[in-house]
């Protein structure tokens, strides 16, 4: 909303050219904020902490488009095949670190699988988080957690428009949905740096990352 307050009427109207006239007003405000020249919001659910200027997505995959200072990750090809990206900078395993992922655009609004979580340096670039011993994930389609290729029922699913929080606190990963704590998804282990990460399956899938203050 802050972005819109600093725009002229003409700039706002220009952003509205391809907007669905039946869109709910709240969603319209959200989308206009994301389209504004200042970019998408970097803190959600009441947090006022800005994005770490050294942070953002980093990936070597050719099927990703990383934009807006590294905050927005969109899959641009390789539809139906998994690719993963991690968020820099890393931190020590066991430190308290929190990421929020706004599910901006998914191929299917509901019942769409993307995987959000944590990974060590050796990220599964061509598979999803949780298929290796050194990555941990939460899947949006079923609400399951993943580690070492084990598929474990965990919590509720998520859909387009939801915000998923991933908290590393001590040797564990916790998941939040729209500010609500879903619980502990995985125990963590390993040495070296650990990173927030995301795995996308379909072309056009898009997430926005922020670094709010960790939940109390």
């Amino acid at each position: 909303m802050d972005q819109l307050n600093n725009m002229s009427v003409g700039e706002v109207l220009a952003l509205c050219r391809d907007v669905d006239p039946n869109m709910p007003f709240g969603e319209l405000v959200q989308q206009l904020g994301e389209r504004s020249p200042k970019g998408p919001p970097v803190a959600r659910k009441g947090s006022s902490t800005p994005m770490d200027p050294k942070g953002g997505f980093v990936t070597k995959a050719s099927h990703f488009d990383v934009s807006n200072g590294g905050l927005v990750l969109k899959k641009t090809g390789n539809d139906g095949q998994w690719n993963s990206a991690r968020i820099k900078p890393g931190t020590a395993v066991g430190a308290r670190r929190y990421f929020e992922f706004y599910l901006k655009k998914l191929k299917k609004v509901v019942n769409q699988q993307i995987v959000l979580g944590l990974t060590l340096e050796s990220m599964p670039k061509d598979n999803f988080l949780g298929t290796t011993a050194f990555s941990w994930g939460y899947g949006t389609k079923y609400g399951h957690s993943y580690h070492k290729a084990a598929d474990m029922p965990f919590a509720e699913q998520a859909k387009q428009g939801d915000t998923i929080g991933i908290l590393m606190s001590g040797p564990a990963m916790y998941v939040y949905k729209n500010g609500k704590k879903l619980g502990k998804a995985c125990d963590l282990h390993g040495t070296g740096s650990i990173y927030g990460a995301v795995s996308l399956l379909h072309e056009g899938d898009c997430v926005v990352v922020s670094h709010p203050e960790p939940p109390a």
Side-chain angles (χ1 to χ4, degrees), residues 1-215:
M1 193 67 184
D2 290 340
Q3 296 97 320
L4 300 181
N5 289 336
N6 295 321
M7 295 174 63
S8 69
V9 172
E11 289 173 324
V12 173
L13 291 176
L15 293 175
C16 289
R17 287 174 183 166
D18 61 347
V19 168
D20 182 353
N22 297 315
M23 179 182 297
F25 181 72
E27 185 175 344
L28 171 64
V29 171
Q30 174 70 43
Q31 288 204 13
L32 291 181
E34 290 165 359
R35 296 181 186 191
S36 74
K38 292 182 179 296
V42 297
R44 318 191 79 84
K45 303 304 173 188
S47 172
S48 59
T49 302
M51 180 73 180
D52 182 346
K54 297 180 181 179
F57 287 107
V58 57
T59 177
K60 295 181 180 178
S62 60
H63 311 294
F64 284 136
D65 175 51
V66 181
S67 62
N68 196 33
L71 307 182
V72 180
L73 183 75
K74 181 178 180 180
K75 191 163 188 198
T76 57
N78 206 27
D79 187 56
Q81 301 295 318
W82 287 105
N83 293 112
S84 298
R86 68 173 184 263
I87 304 164
K88 63 178 183 180
T91 190
V93 176
R96 189 170 175 82
R97 191 86 187 275
Y98 184 62
F99 306 90
E100 281 191 343
F101 299 89
Y102 171 55
L103 310 185
K104 180 179 179 181
K105 180 67 175 177
L106 302 181
K107 185 173 184 178
K108 294 187 291 185
V109 174
V110 296
N111 295 323
Q112 167 69 47
Q113 178 78 321
I114 70 171
V115 182
L116 310 163
L118 300 167
T119 182
L120 296 185
E121 189 83 25
S122 54
M123 176 179 62
K125 294 182 180 65
D126 297 316
N127 213 326
F128 63 87
L129 299 170
T131 55
T132 66
F134 302 108
S135 64
W136 302 263
Y138 157 79
T140 57
K141 183 175 181 178
Y142 304 105
H144 289 188
S145 62
Y146 302 94
H147 179 54
K148 294 168 59 174
D151 179 342
M152 298 162 283
F154 165 58
E156 61 195 61
Q157 66 175 188
K159 65 184 186 304
Q160 179 177 301
D162 287 336
T163 297
I164 300 300
I166 299 293
L167 172 67
M168 178 177 69
S169 182
M173 183 182 91
Y174 298 85
V175 178
Y176 292 73
K177 176 184 172 184
N178 300 328
K180 170 188 171 184
K181 186 176 182 179
L182 300 184
K184 185 175 80 169
C186 306
D187 291 312
L188 307 175
H189 61 86
T191 58
S193 295
I194 192 167
Y195 303 82
V198 59
S199 300
L200 300 181
L201 179 61
H202 291 294
E203 183 174 5
D205 286 350
C206 182
V207 298
V208 182
V209 65
S210 61
H211 285 254
E213 287 293 331

